[in-house]
Amino acid sequence: VCGGGLRLVEQGSRNKDYPRSLMQENFINYLHCPICGGNSFRTVVNQRNATEIREGYVYCNTCQNNFIISKGILDFLVNPSLEVKKQQEGTTKHEMAPWGLPFNPQDSAKYKKQILSLPDGDNSDIFKKETSFRSIAESAHAFYQGLSLLELSGKEKLLDLGADICWSTNKFAEIGCQCVALDINYHLPVSDVYIYENNVYFERIRADMDYLPFIDRSFDVVVNMTSIHHATDLKRTFKEIA
């Protein structure tokens, strides 16, 4: 498909190894459509940079539906459940509440230093307020303990569920893991700080962890930091993870 400034990325073969960077083209081979369950896609690119596809959409060849890519994030959260909608509304409504982010996500560029310091924190004022950043810093020891127990080699394909701003995904990517961050909220764009300031790369997708849009055995490791309690059906969620 040509014209109008659009470019079609070739679908490619079903390669079982993610490339270390610019994963988008092969990433679609690990997806199944959240509408029809098919796994034949092609990607139309409106804008890309040296790192990733920034704007465009993924087209399902089976049901002919489009799924938007915006700010590098693929949106597979279609027809969200009432529970998911309530969680999204709650996150937006209480964005600056004590348990939320200490800044508006649109202002993340102003807080690069603090974002990059997670999970440890940098003792700046932002970590002294009762926000999610303070909570993350206070639990950093638990994260590193869990990371140690995983004994990752850096060759794993890893899915980070409920990744939020992707501070944990960033840590796994630093090790060398080929990572995908998944969440339902609108904090995922904050992770640009990690990708463009920390020289790491990971895919980001908006989707429901109760209905994971991946073909079986796509990942070696699935992690969840602080969001499994949001699952509406724990039995189903753990079945999906398994």
Side-chain angles (χ1 to χ4, degrees):
V1 178
C2 298
L6 301 183
R7 177 159 57 96
L8 177 66
V9 177
E10 294 180 3
Q11 182 175 349
S13 61
R14 224 169 253 292
N15 187 340
K16 287 300 180 183
D17 293 315
Y18 287 116
R20 286 294 173 178
S21 62
L22 199 56
M23 191 163 49
Q24 192 84 54
E25 285 87 341
N26 280 351
F27 179 50
I28 64 174
N29 294 331
Y30 293 81
L31 299 171
H32 66 69
C33 177
I35 294 177
C36 72
N39 60 353
S40 175
F41 300 95
R42 62 180 185 268
T43 307
V44 174
V45 181
N46 293 346
Q47 178 188 348
R48 78 182 309 158
N49 57 28
T51 302
E52 64 179 350
I53 298 168
R54 290 296 289 177
E55 304 291 334
Y57 60 88
V58 168
Y59 175 83
C60 177
N61 293 318
T62 304
C63 67
Q64 301 181 347
N65 280 292
N66 295 327
F67 304 95
I68 298 298
I69 301 171
S70 178
K71 299 179 181 179
I73 299 162
L74 175 60
D75 195 346
F76 259 30
L77 191 61
V78 296
N79 302 320
S81 66
L82 180 60
E83 290 80 5
V84 167
K85 289 180 179 179
K86 287 181 178 179
Q87 290 175 27
Q88 289 178 317
E89 291 170 0
T91 298
T92 302
K93 181 178 179 180
H94 302 293
E95 196 69 72
M96 303 300 290
W99 50 87
L101 290 178
F103 54 83
N104 190 306
Q106 296 179 349
D107 297 328
S108 57
K110 299 178 182 179
Y111 298 93
K112 290 188 292 187
K113 182 175 179 290
Q114 288 79 17
I115 293 169
L116 289 167
S117 74
L118 292 172
D120 305 87
D122 64 355
N123 294 318
S124 59
D125 289 342
I126 205 171
F127 288 96
K128 297 175 183 178
K129 303 175 183 178
E130 292 188 25
T131 67
S132 62
F133 271 37
R134 176 176 170 178
S135 178
I136 292 168
E138 289 176 345
S139 303
H141 65 285
F143 170 76
Y144 288 118
Q145 183 180 24
L147 183 61
S148 175
L149 292 172
L150 282 173
E151 297 182 341
L152 298 173
S153 68
K155 298 180 180 179
E156 293 84 1
K157 291 186 283 290
L158 183 146
L159 173 62
D160 191 354
L161 292 181
D164 197 54
I165 67 169
C166 302
W167 64 267
S168 53
T169 321
N170 168 66
K171 286 299 181 183
F172 296 122
E174 283 182 334
I175 295 171
C177 294
Q178 300 159 59
C179 302
V180 176
L182 180 148
D183 210 308
I184 63 169
N185 70 26
Y186 297 94
H187 295 172
L188 287 172
V190 176
S191 61
D192 274 355
V193 172
Y194 297 115
I195 292 175
Y196 294 102
E197 297 289 333
N198 201 29
N199 196 31
V200 297
Y201 187 74
F202 45 85
E203 286 296 338
R204 295 160 292 172
I205 183 170
R206 188 170 290 114
D208 188 346
M209 66 180 171
D210 288 341
Y211 299 92
L212 296 176
F214 306 106
I215 61 174
D216 289 346
R217 299 179 177 87
S218 292
F219 300 97
D220 303 307
V221 180
V222 180
V223 298
N224 182 287
M225 297 299 110
T226 58
S227 59
I228 199 69
H229 58 285
H230 290 298
T232 56
D233 184 340
L234 279 175
K235 185 176 181 180
R236 177 181 178 84
T237 302
F238 281 111
K239 183 178 181 180
E240 286 281 87
I241 291 171

